[in-house]
Amino acid sequence: MIRVSIVGGSGYVGGELLRILLKHPHVEVRQVTSERLAGQWFHRAHPHLRGLSDLRFVPMEKLEACDVLVLALPHGRAMRSIDRWARLADRIIDCSADFRLRDPTVYERWYGTPHRAPAWLDRFVYGLPELNREAIRNARYVSGVGCNAVATILAVWPLVRAGLVDSGRGIIAEVKAGSSEAGRQAGPASHHPERSRSIRSYAPVGHRHTAEVQMALGLEAVHLSMTAVETVRGVLATCHVFSKRPVTERDLWRAYREAYAGEPFVRIVHERTGLYRHPDPKVLVGSNYADVGWALDEQTGRIVAFGAIDNLMKGAAGNAVQCLNLMCGFDERAGLDAPGLYPV
Amino acid sequence: MTAVCPECEGPIRLAEDLMEGEIIPCGDCGAELEVLSVTPLKLGLAPEVQEDWGE
């Protein structure tokens, strides 16, 4: 068993980390921090976890050494104290955006503030196993992933890998996201009368995850448009790509199969009939699976690539545990083998 | 006995007592495949009934 502590455990990602790690066969959860709820049971923040642990939240100042520290803090917080976290654990997984991008100038451009620990950026590996498995396996420090970025990257990666993308025209991704993406802090936009039944274009251009997709795919022409929809969990990326050569359905089957052969958490969903012929995040709630698929317009060469995930799982906590499993030499599926709930 | 889906090239496991005219779904792409011939084995897309999505 390895000793894992979570910094920032009262948010939604912290709750998902706890839900997975309290049942993980090779992990002992040692400490979970929350300044606001220090001394309180976990179920004060995460009611579904009632009775699953005798531990209570502790303040950060009480953190002790452990084997792996998982940081689930708001963006901008992890980098302020990274030296301190590194003294507490040999391995760190940071779920925030602080260490995803390699270039501090790119970070500043998208996040509007200088990076506080630029010397650490090269020490972190971008934590998406489907693209970076071997590097993660050998890493001590792994970054989290952006949920919208993951849905987009996994949808389009097979096309990029197969050399099909017309890079001049690039990728246009319309991403629909549920309300839990916004985190636990309430604001005017999350107020129920405003949020409920809304289909809100909240970032038609300029979303921060654009930089992550560009970096991961090695493509400059990436355009994300974000729409908030009614669901609580779930991301669906609908990505429009133009092929630079004539392409058939069989070509696309080959591209997706070759990209994801043996991947434990990526499933190809592309059927001719039925309600769920394309990926739908509805059936992924609570699971670490990413469903990918496509539709092809052979007349125009337009490929519509889909990526669906649960934003709190494959888009955050589940993916972080997948990285932890790789870093610690465990079965990559450990603690993560539950399918989604259906119906929900 | 195995075959390859003529639609998506996915693998299809077939029963030993396969009969001509039988309809087999592909597990990968969901295509309904008709057994056109057993010896030699030949699969083709079965005629589709258009779905009504009520839209």
Side-chain angles (χ1 to χ4, degrees):
Chain A
M1 299 288 269
I2 59 163
R3 302 165 303 159
V4 176
S5 294
I6 300 169
V7 183
S10 62
Y12 292 138
V13 174
E16 282 298 90
L17 286 166
L18 268 174
R19 183 173 71 88
I20 302 164
L21 293 176
L22 287 172
K23 295 293 180 185
H24 194 290
H26 308 303
V27 166
E28 178 196 351
V29 176
R30 288 300 292 269
Q31 291 181 299
V32 182
T33 78
S34 168
E35 303 311 295
R36 188 173 53 88
L37 296 174
Q40 303 276 354
W41 301 107
F42 294 159
H43 68 250
R44 285 297 300 274
H46 311 299
H48 56 310
L49 304 182
R50 182 185 294 268
L52 295 186
S53 173
D54 293 331
L55 298 176
R56 302 183 196 195
F57 289 112
V58 298
M60 278 187 209
E61 65 185 27
K62 299 278 189 193
L63 265 180
E64 298 167 0
C66 60
D67 298 310
V68 180
L69 203 54
V70 184
L71 310 177
L73 294 162
H75 299 317
R77 297 273 300 280
M79 62 183 174
R80 283 188 220 163
S81 307
I82 187 62
D83 292 306
R84 179 188 171 200
W85 312 132
R87 285 194 293 274
L88 289 171
D90 280 343
R91 295 188 178 94
I92 294 173
I93 300 169
D94 174 36
C95 296
S96 81
D98 288 8
F99 297 102
R100 291 177 197 161
L101 302 174
R102 298 281 73 82
D103 184 338
T105 60
V106 174
Y107 178 88
E108 185 170 352
R109 174 149 53 94
W110 287 93
Y111 287 85
T113 178
H115 200 281
R116 299 280 289 267
W120 276 85
L121 289 175
D122 281 341
R123 301 174 73 176
F124 273 79
V125 168
Y126 182 61
L128 186 58
E130 289 74 14
L131 268 64
N132 265 350
R133 179 165 284 106
E134 287 314 307
I136 293 168
R137 223 189 281 277
N138 298 314
R140 289 179 61 193
Y141 308 115
V142 170
S143 79
V145 290
C147 45
N148 306 309
V150 166
T152 304
I153 292 165
L154 293 179
V156 172
W157 167 237
L159 306 175
V160 175
R161 183 178 177 277
L164 293 173
V165 177
D166 179 345
S167 55
R169 299 172 88 168
I171 294 163
I172 297 173
E174 160 64 29
V175 182
K176 297 156 192 90
S179 59
S180 60
E181 262 199 18
R184 189 137 212 175
Q185 288 293 324
S190 63
H191 186 46
H192 182 266
E194 306 296 340
R195 184 65 170 79
S196 178
R197 297 187 172 86
S198 173
I199 304 173
R200 181 181 298 142
S201 290
Y202 75 89
V205 297
H207 193 276
R208 292 166 167 180
H209 290 179
T210 305
E212 205 175 318
V213 180
Q214 289 171 326
M215 180 188 76
L217 297 179
L219 274 177
E220 195 57 36
V222 172
H223 311 281
L224 260 59
S225 290
M226 296 299 310
T227 305
V229 295
E230 180 71 21
T231 57
V232 174
R233 289 184 186 231
V235 177
L236 176 66
T238 305
C239 311
H240 303 270
V241 177
F242 284 89
S243 176
K244 64 184 181 189
R245 61 174 186 266
V247 67
T248 66
E249 280 284 341
R250 286 187 184 188
D251 293 329
L252 296 177
W253 270 106
R254 280 188 213 116
Y256 278 80
R257 281 197 181 111
E258 285 168 12
Y260 295 132
E263 281 298 338
F265 294 110
V266 182
R267 305 186 296 195
I268 298 172
V269 178
H270 181 64
E271 298 203 27
R272 295 167 59 86
T273 57
L275 289 175
Y276 293 92
R277 66 184 73 182
H278 300 304
D280 185 336
K282 177 183 167 76
V283 301
L284 298 172
V285 170
S287 95
N288 196 49
Y289 286 101
D291 285 353
V292 299
W294 68 89
L296 170 64
D297 182 346
E298 292 191 12
Q299 297 296 317
T300 63
R302 182 170 66 112
I303 304 165
V304 183
F306 303 105
I309 59 169
D310 177 335
N311 51 298
L312 294 176
M313 286 295 290
K314 186 60 182 164
N319 188 77
V321 174
Q322 191 180 347
C323 290
L324 179 148
N325 288 339
L326 287 167
M327 294 165 80
C328 297
F330 304 146
D331 178 351
E332 196 169 332
R333 294 172 181 263
L336 294 169
D337 52 1
L341 296 175
Y342 177 83
V344 286
Chain B
M1 191 163 38
T2 58
V4 171
C5 172
E7 185 73 0
C8 75
E9 300 179 327
I12 299 174
R13 191 180 294 274
L14 300 168
E16 293 299 326
D17 57 353
L18 194 69
M19 290 190 303
E20 198 170 298
E22 200 172 329
I23 303 293
I24 299 160
C26 171
D28 279 9
C29 70
E32 302 266 301
L33 304 173
E34 183 177 353
V35 179
L36 301 175
S37 151
V38 175
T39 313
L41 181 62
K42 194 171 176 192
L43 303 176
L45 274 180
E48 248 179 65
V49 178
Q50 194 67 37
E51 284 178 307
D52 178 7
W53 287 59
E55 292 172 4

